[in-house]
Amino acid sequence: MQIRIFTDENAAASVLAHDIARQLARTRHLVLGLPTGRTPIPLYREVVRLHRAGRADFSRAVTFNLDEFLGLPGSDPHSYRAFMQRHLFDHVNLSRRRIHFLDGNARDTARECLRYERAIDRAGGIDLQILGLGANGHIGFNEPARALAARTHVARLRGATRRANAALFGGRLAQVPHEALSMGMATILYARRIVMVATGASKARCVARMIEGPVTPRIPASFLQLHRHAEVWLDRGAAAALRRRRSPNFQ
Ligand code: GLP
């Protein structure tokens, strides 16, 4: 894994936004995998700023979001789809048909998961997957477990994860769904390039386990160690617990 440490989250967001803008200019039909959460908000803000300055053209890009709450239609203001509309989609030139989202309201979830896998395949796979890090080591909604699901699936959310997502529901924990649809570990690891962004001291312990610990389903993000082109972008707070030079993964 390639580790990059920035002074703060805005510096990381700015460099990544410019990186995405360059890829958009270079690659026709760039396929982006996108996360939700607090972490990517500065990134989306910067991407929107570049778009407004005429430096990020999404007209031919395609996006796939990582996950969605089960039982919420995309029109629900608490859904991840609504989050993406607010922070990115409403502000850039990305047509609706190029935006791909898991339908949290699907009746047949197995079919919905298969539909998503096929759509990713048809798009030619994901070129750049951006990820956030759950404080318990999850990516997407692949929660710590004895075994992980390879493909897009229905995920049961842990208490800590529901609490971490409560802010989206105005702090009302009872309203946070217990299940979600999520890309699986293989779906994520098949992306050609992965950039995991983790910021803030609250992620430091988990970041160290992800990079310096063994590959284990107890820390799903540790599977990124198996990827040929995975980068971890940190601010100083999130990098604080790394032993650095002693880590074989540190470049
Ligand atoms: C949620 C999402 C993840 C995200 C994580 C981290 O649970 N399902 O995809 O990476 O939260 O969120 P934050 O960036 O707010 O710390």
Side-chain angles (χ1 to χ4, degrees):
M1 276 194 282
Q2 199 184 80
I3 320 296
R4 295 184 69 173
I5 302 172
F6 296 83
T7 44
D8 58 42
E9 61 173 1
N10 293 323
S14 167
V15 176
L16 187 49
H18 281 86
D19 188 320
I20 292 171
R22 265 196 309 278
Q23 304 282 328
L24 286 169
R26 201 181 298 149
T27 315
R28 281 177 74 87
H29 309 292
L30 183 74
V31 183
L32 287 166
L34 298 175
T36 50
R38 185 193 54 79
T39 311
I41 291 177
L43 168 67
Y44 295 149
R45 197 186 302 134
E46 193 60 19
V47 167
V48 169
R49 199 186 63 74
L50 288 179
H51 173 71
R52 288 187 177 141
R55 295 168 67 189
D57 175 13
F58 284 86
S59 58
R60 280 189 289 266
V62 174
T63 67
F64 286 90
N65 261 79
L66 274 169
D67 44 16
E68 179 59 284
F69 293 110
L70 199 61
L72 296 191
S75 56
D76 188 302
H78 305 115
S79 67
Y80 276 172
R81 172 65 191 242
F83 172 99
M84 290 303 298
Q85 290 295 146
R86 281 197 299 277
H87 291 283
L88 183 67
F89 299 155
D90 284 347
H91 313 290
V92 296
N93 60 333
L94 191 56
S95 75
R96 272 186 99 79
R97 66 192 170 84
R98 293 176 176 274
I99 296 171
H100 297 271
F101 237 93
L102 281 155
D103 176 9
N105 222 16
R107 273 167 189 261
D108 184 341
T109 51
R111 201 163 148 181
E112 173 61 6
C113 293
L114 200 59
R115 178 195 70 79
Y116 210 59
E117 290 284 336
R118 287 190 175 143
I120 294 172
D121 265 359
R122 264 204 309 276
I126 292 171
D127 294 308
L128 171 58
Q129 175 69 58
I130 317 276
L131 293 175
L133 177 66
N136 65 2
H138 74 234
I139 48 180
F141 273 129
N142 294 275
E143 293 276 46
R146 276 201 312 212
L148 299 174
R151 294 298 180 178
T152 303
H153 60 283
V154 176
R156 180 127 199 110
L157 306 188
R158 291 190 157 226
T161 299
R162 291 185 60 246
R163 283 193 292 282
N165 277 278
L168 271 179
F169 295 79
R172 290 180 290 272
L173 181 61
Q175 286 185 19
V176 183
H178 287 265
E179 290 180 311
L181 297 174
S182 176
M183 283 188 197
M185 290 304 301
T187 323
I188 293 170
L189 291 172
Y190 271 46
R192 282 181 271 282
R193 177 185 173 207
I194 295 178
V195 175
M196 140 80 64
V197 184
T199 53
S202 65
K203 301 280 172 76
R205 234 173 67 91
C206 187
V207 163
R209 292 182 72 187
M210 160 178 72
I211 295 171
E212 298 176 339
V215 176
T216 166
R218 295 289 173 201
I219 303 284
S222 67
F223 275 72
L224 298 180
Q225 293 181 31
L226 304 177
H227 195 274
R228 285 176 82 89
H229 200 153
E231 300 163 37
V232 183
W233 291 31
L234 307 168
D235 66 356
R236 286 194 182 136
L242 288 173
R243 278 169 293 153
R244 296 207 177 194
R245 264 172 230 113
R246 272 200 283 151
S247 161
N249 292 326
F250 201 93
Q251 292 181 13

